[in-house]
Amino acid sequence: MDSPTAMLEFNGIPVSGGSGVGRALIYEETHDVRAAAALPPRDVEEEVATLERAVQLARNDLAALHESLAANKDAIAQIFTAHAAMLDDFLPLLSSTIRDGVSAEHAVQTVIHAAAARIARVKDPLLSQRSKDIVDIGRRLNRALRGMMPEAPAAAREDGPVVIVARDLSPSEAVQLRGRNVAAIVLEQGGHTSHTAVIIKSLEIPCVTGVRELTNVVTPGQMIWIDGSEGRVVVEPDAASMERAVELGQRYERLEARLLEESGLPAETIDGHRVILLSNIEYPLDVEAGIARGAEGVGLYRTEFLYESEGGLPDEEEQLATYRSTLERLKGGRLTIRTFDFGADKESPIAPDEPEPNPALGVRSLRWCFEHQEPFRMQLRALLRVAAEGDVRIMLPMIGSIEELRRAKAIMAEVAAELEAKGVRHEPHPPVGIMIEIPAAAVTADLLAREADFFSIGTNDLIQYDLAVDRMNPRVEPLFRPSHPSLLRLLQGTIQAAEAARIPVSMCGEMGGLTIYTILLLGLGLREFSLTPGYIPRVRRLLRGLTMLEARRLAAECLRMSSADEIEALLRARVTPIGAG
Ligand code: PEP
Ligand code: MG
């Protein structure tokens, strides 16, 4: 008789709500594997044959990926066709390298990495970005060579729902899970505001992060239950836990269905104060998820995904087409497009010549754009052109000083003048707003409000920089406190500065979607929330159940308190949670 495997429980960071059960699929990165180089000469042809089988596996997988994404009419499907063609191009060189007497894995590492490094050095930014595709192909081949499923999500479809268990996922790996049979995701790394976490939330897959060593504990195929709302991971759940998992899953689904039915109701308090709910998006396709939940437009379009999803930076015309299609999908709703926010947690298309000691404090975001003016200007050209076609607002990330705002606007004016000279239709003066995500910007919000058309508070970074807590590091996640009195003062100051200058202020950080903070934010004066679409219904439900007077009183009470613990305890006591939150 088989001895039953013991049930194991872990707690992590609740990132994306809901309950999911499935068989574990361990997703491993192989880019840092150092393969043994030497190969005895007699094994050469066998090794070449192994390589050819791996290439075939990788090709099959790319074809499956392409097929499933093409069904979604997703532009990113095209990239996988290009990857398959590149695989074929590499095959002769890889085979001849093996015949020189090295292992297949070593050949892949040396040949592919050398090719990627060569292309990365090319001056043309559009071409140099292709190095990421080559690295991707190398990883895929190595996974195939090591006998793993070359692409975890593709394998999922045949064997029923799977739970992806990984050390980490890149945002582009996460996006490939769209429409797959993935019941849940558990990661060892990452906090709840990492870019990967943001993507997983938008895919509405239950997810827990920060579960250290899990990939060493779980074996492939084991049953796992994830409660993404509570941050719980149960390996080999017993009968009682399985029952609870199913019951919870059904409860979440019923709640979501009821909340969705309320999408047509106005977002207003009992005493009639209107709030604007917008959505955060990464792809044009995401617009529909927001509209279905009653979003009035897009408050944050993260354009870095133009690069991350397609393996290269699209040119001006391609960007224009993407922005235009997003605008059209919105049918008159506002579209707030953020200029490139590359660096730190968002993979950059042009890697720095030397690794930076502190990327989050380095050449990221607008600083990157100032250093790489060609892609920045190209994006601005596309933005000014699409701005002539509807309610398009341009948002600058990571503004730390008025000089940066002025410099960005000056570049925009030059771009507008060029378009004018060429007779290209464009809007020279679209609204230009800034993200408040550096404490310096929050503290000087009154000065910035004189020259910005709107503010959007990015709490993911604002908390990171205010509290010196890396948003990517699960070890310091408990210190990432939206309820910290310092943050409350920064929020209050920013909102008051915007009100005084009569410019709109919204919040697009993840804090806006955490319902225990909704009343507080409303009480602080926030009237616009830009949210991951899945969180819109619960924020609306909460707003519709309260009055402005109680929100103001609660905010005033919070502002008098001296610790994050006290503030959080007060909010938890006063706010009835709505599902995961
Ligand atoms: C933020 O920092 O809060 C934000 C919305 O931007 P991102 O998460 O893309 O850095
Ligand atoms: Mg940010």
PDB file of all heavy atoms in Angstrom, residues 420-440:
ATOM      1  N   GLU A 420       5.132  69.246 -37.097  1.00  0.00           N
ATOM      2  CA  GLU A 420       4.511  70.401 -37.754  1.00  0.00           C
ATOM      3  C   GLU A 420       5.221  70.680 -39.087  1.00  0.00           C
ATOM      4  O   GLU A 420       4.578  70.852 -40.130  1.00  0.00           O
ATOM      5  CB  GLU A 420       4.623  71.616 -36.812  1.00  0.00           C
ATOM      6  CG  GLU A 420       3.937  72.889 -37.293  1.00  0.00           C
ATOM      7  CD  GLU A 420       2.428  72.733 -37.364  1.00  0.00           C
ATOM      8  OE1 GLU A 420       1.860  72.066 -36.489  1.00  0.00           O
ATOM      9  OE2 GLU A 420       1.829  73.271 -38.333  1.00  0.00           O
ATOM     10  N   ALA A 421       6.569  70.696 -39.014  1.00  0.00           N
ATOM     11  CA  ALA A 421       7.369  71.011 -40.211  1.00  0.00           C
ATOM     12  C   ALA A 421       7.107  69.998 -41.324  1.00  0.00           C
ATOM     13  O   ALA A 421       7.133  70.325 -42.507  1.00  0.00           O
ATOM     14  CB  ALA A 421       8.849  71.027 -39.840  1.00  0.00           C
ATOM     15  N   LYS A 422       6.857  68.759 -40.924  1.00  0.00           N
ATOM     16  CA  LYS A 422       6.615  67.710 -41.937  1.00  0.00           C
ATOM     17  C   LYS A 422       5.150  67.631 -42.344  1.00  0.00           C
ATOM     18  O   LYS A 422       4.776  66.799 -43.170  1.00  0.00           O
ATOM     19  CB  LYS A 422       7.029  66.359 -41.374  1.00  0.00           C
ATOM     20  CG  LYS A 422       8.535  66.178 -41.290  1.00  0.00           C
ATOM     21  CD  LYS A 422       8.830  64.736 -40.940  1.00  0.00           C
ATOM     22  CE  LYS A 422      10.299  64.560 -40.662  1.00  0.00           C
ATOM     23  NZ  LYS A 422      10.546  63.599 -39.607  1.00  0.00           N
ATOM     24  N   GLY A 423       4.328  68.437 -41.703  1.00  0.00           N
ATOM     25  CA  GLY A 423       2.899  68.443 -42.038  1.00  0.00           C
ATOM     26  C   GLY A 423       2.180  67.195 -41.565  1.00  0.00           C
ATOM     27  O   GLY A 423       1.169  66.790 -42.145  1.00  0.00           O
ATOM     28  N   VAL A 424       2.695  66.574 -40.478  1.00  0.00           N
ATOM     29  CA  VAL A 424       2.045  65.361 -39.952  1.00  0.00           C
ATOM     30  C   VAL A 424       0.986  65.768 -38.926  1.00  0.00           C
ATOM     31  O   VAL A 424       1.269  66.571 -38.017  1.00  0.00           O
ATOM     32  CB  VAL A 424       3.090  64.430 -39.275  1.00  0.00           C
ATOM     33  CG1 VAL A 424       2.411  63.181 -38.702  1.00  0.00           C
ATOM     34  CG2 VAL A 424       4.177  64.054 -40.259  1.00  0.00           C
ATOM     35  N   ARG A 425      -0.196  65.187 -39.079  1.00  0.00           N
ATOM     36  CA  ARG A 425      -1.283  65.528 -38.152  1.00  0.00           C
ATOM     37  C   ARG A 425      -0.915  65.114 -36.719  1.00  0.00           C
ATOM     38  O   ARG A 425      -0.523  63.972 -36.461  1.00  0.00           O
ATOM     39  CB  ARG A 425      -2.555  64.788 -38.584  1.00  0.00           C
ATOM     40  CG  ARG A 425      -3.748  65.115 -37.725  1.00  0.00           C
ATOM     41  CD  ARG A 425      -4.992  64.401 -38.233  1.00  0.00           C
ATOM     42  NE  ARG A 425      -6.100  64.655 -37.330  1.00  0.00           N
ATOM     43  CZ  ARG A 425      -6.908  63.726 -36.845  1.00  0.00           C
ATOM     44  NH1 ARG A 425      -6.758  62.465 -37.195  1.00  0.00           N
ATOM     45  NH2 ARG A 425      -7.890  64.043 -36.039  1.00  0.00           N
ATOM     46  N   HIS A 426      -1.043  66.071 -35.784  1.00  0.00           N
ATOM     47  CA  HIS A 426      -0.727  65.758 -34.390  1.00  0.00           C
ATOM     48  C   HIS A 426      -1.384  66.789 -33.481  1.00  0.00           C
ATOM     49  O   HIS A 426      -1.914  67.801 -33.948  1.00  0.00           O
ATOM     50  CB  HIS A 426       0.796  65.777 -34.174  1.00  0.00           C
ATOM     51  CG  HIS A 426       1.399  67.145 -34.293  1.00  0.00           C
ATOM     52  ND1 HIS A 426       1.535  67.808 -35.499  1.00  0.00           N
ATOM     53  CD2 HIS A 426       1.864  67.999 -33.345  1.00  0.00           C
ATOM     54  CE1 HIS A 426       2.065  68.997 -35.285  1.00  0.00           C
ATOM     55  NE2 HIS A 426       2.276  69.141 -33.991  1.00  0.00           N
ATOM     56  N   GLU A 427      -1.366  66.508 -32.170  1.00  0.00           N
ATOM     57  CA  GLU A 427      -1.874  67.472 -31.181  1.00  0.00           C
ATOM     58  C   GLU A 427      -0.650  68.014 -30.439  1.00  0.00           C
ATOM     59  O   GLU A 427      -0.008  67.284 -29.694  1.00  0.00           O
ATOM     60  CB  GLU A 427      -2.844  66.757 -30.217  1.00  0.00           C
ATOM     61  CG  GLU A 427      -3.200  67.511 -28.957  1.00  0.00           C
ATOM     62  CD  GLU A 427      -3.722  68.914 -29.205  1.00  0.00           C
ATOM     63  OE1 GLU A 427      -4.767  69.061 -29.848  1.00  0.00           O
ATOM     64  OE2 GLU A 427      -3.053  69.890 -28.762  1.00  0.00           O
ATOM     65  N   PRO A 428      -0.303  69.299 -30.647  1.00  0.00           N
ATOM     66  CA  PRO A 428       0.938  69.799 -30.030  1.00  0.00           C
ATOM     67  C   PRO A 428       0.846  69.973 -28.510  1.00  0.00           C
ATOM     68  O   PRO A 428       1.860  69.963 -27.833  1.00  0.00           O
ATOM     69  CB  PRO A 428       1.158  71.152 -30.712  1.00  0.00           C
ATOM     70  CG  PRO A 428      -0.172  71.549 -31.264  1.00  0.00           C
ATOM     71  CD  PRO A 428      -0.944  70.299 -31.513  1.00  0.00           C
ATOM     72  N   HIS A 429      -0.374  70.126 -27.993  1.00  0.00           N
ATOM     73  CA  HIS A 429      -0.483  70.406 -26.553  1.00  0.00           C
ATOM     74  C   HIS A 429      -1.460  69.472 -25.844  1.00  0.00           C
ATOM     75  O   HIS A 429      -2.450  69.925 -25.263  1.00  0.00           O
ATOM     76  CB  HIS A 429      -0.938  71.858 -26.332  1.00  0.00           C
ATOM     77  CG  HIS A 429      -0.033  72.854 -26.973  1.00  0.00           C
ATOM     78  ND1 HIS A 429       1.264  73.038 -26.561  1.00  0.00           N
ATOM     79  CD2 HIS A 429      -0.227  73.706 -28.023  1.00  0.00           C
ATOM     80  CE1 HIS A 429       1.839  73.959 -27.325  1.00  0.00           C
ATOM     81  NE2 HIS A 429       0.943  74.378 -28.229  1.00  0.00           N
ATOM     82  N   PRO A 430      -1.195  68.179 -25.840  1.00  0.00           N
ATOM     83  CA  PRO A 430      -2.089  67.295 -25.076  1.00  0.00           C
ATOM     84  C   PRO A 430      -1.839  67.519 -23.582  1.00  0.00           C
ATOM     85  O   PRO A 430      -0.785  68.055 -23.211  1.00  0.00           O
ATOM     86  CB  PRO A 430      -1.624  65.892 -25.490  1.00  0.00           C
ATOM     87  CG  PRO A 430      -0.191  66.062 -25.848  1.00  0.00           C
ATOM     88  CD  PRO A 430      -0.039  67.458 -26.392  1.00  0.00           C
ATOM     89  N   PRO A 431      -2.794  67.117 -22.727  1.00  0.00           N
ATOM     90  CA  PRO A 431      -2.518  67.239 -21.292  1.00  0.00           C
ATOM     91  C   PRO A 431      -1.285  66.404 -20.932  1.00  0.00           C
ATOM     92  O   PRO A 431      -1.160  65.262 -21.358  1.00  0.00           O
ATOM     93  CB  PRO A 431      -3.776  66.648 -20.636  1.00  0.00           C
ATOM     94  CG  PRO A 431      -4.830  66.673 -21.690  1.00  0.00           C
ATOM     95  CD  PRO A 431      -4.135  66.571 -23.013  1.00  0.00           C
ATOM     96  N   VAL A 432      -0.368  67.018 -20.187  1.00  0.00           N
ATOM     97  CA  VAL A 432       0.843  66.303 -19.764  1.00  0.00           C
ATOM     98  C   VAL A 432       0.855  66.266 -18.231  1.00  0.00           C
ATOM     99  O   VAL A 432       0.964  67.300 -17.569  1.00  0.00           O
ATOM    100  CB  VAL A 432       2.118  67.002 -20.282  1.00  0.00           C
ATOM    101  CG1 VAL A 432       3.363  66.259 -19.783  1.00  0.00           C
ATOM    102  CG2 VAL A 432       2.109  67.062 -21.805  1.00  0.00           C
ATOM    103  N   GLY A 433       0.704  65.065 -17.704  1.00  0.00           N
ATOM    104  CA  GLY A 433       0.684  64.907 -16.250  1.00  0.00           C
ATOM    105  C   GLY A 433       1.911  64.168 -15.763  1.00  0.00           C
ATOM    106  O   GLY A 433       2.731  63.704 -16.561  1.00  0.00           O
ATOM    107  N   ILE A 434       2.021  64.068 -14.457  1.00  0.00           N
ATOM    108  CA  ILE A 434       3.199  63.387 -13.908  1.00  0.00           C
ATOM    109  C   ILE A 434       2.777  62.365 -12.854  1.00  0.00           C
ATOM    110  O   ILE A 434       1.745  62.510 -12.201  1.00  0.00           O
ATOM    111  CB  ILE A 434       4.197  64.382 -13.269  1.00  0.00           C
ATOM    112  CG1 ILE A 434       3.554  65.144 -12.097  1.00  0.00           C
ATOM    113  CG2 ILE A 434       4.709  65.364 -14.317  1.00  0.00           C
ATOM    114  CD1 ILE A 434       4.562  65.995 -11.328  1.00  0.00           C
ATOM    115  N   MET A 435       3.631  61.340 -12.728  1.00  0.00           N
ATOM    116  CA  MET A 435       3.405  60.391 -11.651  1.00  0.00           C
ATOM    117  C   MET A 435       4.108  60.919 -10.412  1.00  0.00           C
ATOM    118  O   MET A 435       5.220  61.439 -10.490  1.00  0.00           O
ATOM    119  CB  MET A 435       3.950  59.019 -12.025  1.00  0.00           C
ATOM    120  CG  MET A 435       3.072  58.359 -13.058  1.00  0.00           C
ATOM    121  SD  MET A 435       3.516  56.649 -13.344  1.00  0.00           S
ATOM    122  CE  MET A 435       3.058  55.890 -11.801  1.00  0.00           C
ATOM    123  N   ILE A 436       3.412  60.785  -9.304  1.00  0.00           N
ATOM    124  CA  ILE A 436       4.028  61.158  -8.024  1.00  0.00           C
ATOM    125  C   ILE A 436       4.465  59.845  -7.398  1.00  0.00           C
ATOM    126  O   ILE A 436       3.655  59.089  -6.854  1.00  0.00           O
ATOM    127  CB  ILE A 436       3.008  61.895  -7.112  1.00  0.00           C
ATOM    128  CG1 ILE A 436       2.444  63.151  -7.808  1.00  0.00           C
ATOM    129  CG2 ILE A 436       3.649  62.233  -5.768  1.00  0.00           C
ATOM    130  CD1 ILE A 436       3.409  64.294  -8.003  1.00  0.00           C
ATOM    131  N   GLU A 437       5.751  59.546  -7.554  1.00  0.00           N
ATOM    132  CA  GLU A 437       6.229  58.267  -7.035  1.00  0.00           C
ATOM    133  C   GLU A 437       7.624  58.370  -6.408  1.00  0.00           C
ATOM    134  O   GLU A 437       8.216  57.368  -6.031  1.00  0.00           O
ATOM    135  CB  GLU A 437       6.164  57.158  -8.106  1.00  0.00           C
ATOM    136  CG  GLU A 437       6.754  57.493  -9.439  1.00  0.00           C
ATOM    137  CD  GLU A 437       6.525  56.384 -10.475  1.00  0.00           C
ATOM    138  OE1 GLU A 437       6.053  55.287 -10.134  1.00  0.00           O
ATOM    139  OE2 GLU A 437       6.843  56.638 -11.649  1.00  0.00           O
ATOM    140  N   ILE A 438       8.112  59.609  -6.348  1.00  0.00           N
ATOM    141  CA  ILE A 438       9.349  59.864  -5.602  1.00  0.00           C
ATOM    142  C   ILE A 438       8.946  60.812  -4.471  1.00  0.00           C
ATOM    143  O   ILE A 438       8.218  61.788  -4.725  1.00  0.00           O
ATOM    144  CB  ILE A 438      10.409  60.534  -6.510  1.00  0.00           C
ATOM    145  CG1 ILE A 438      10.778  59.594  -7.674  1.00  0.00           C
ATOM    146  CG2 ILE A 438      11.652  60.918  -5.731  1.00  0.00           C
ATOM    147  CD1 ILE A 438      11.853  60.168  -8.601  1.00  0.00           C
ATOM    148  N   PRO A 439       9.362  60.549  -3.241  1.00  0.00           N
ATOM    149  CA  PRO A 439       8.947  61.440  -2.149  1.00  0.00           C
ATOM    150  C   PRO A 439       9.218  62.917  -2.447  1.00  0.00           C
ATOM    151  O   PRO A 439       8.409  63.785  -2.087  1.00  0.00           O
ATOM    152  CB  PRO A 439       9.771  60.938  -0.958  1.00  0.00           C
ATOM    153  CG  PRO A 439       9.961  59.476  -1.244  1.00  0.00           C
ATOM    154  CD  PRO A 439      10.108  59.373  -2.741  1.00  0.00           C
ATOM    155  N   ALA A 440      10.317  63.218  -3.141  1.00  0.00           N
ATOM    156  CA  ALA A 440      10.616  64.619  -3.467  1.00  0.00           C
ATOM    157  C   ALA A 440       9.475  65.252  -4.254  1.00  0.00           C
ATOM    158  O   ALA A 440       9.147  66.434  -4.059  1.00  0.00           O
ATOM    159  CB  ALA A 440      11.914  64.695  -4.273  1.00  0.00           C
TER     160      ALA A 440
END
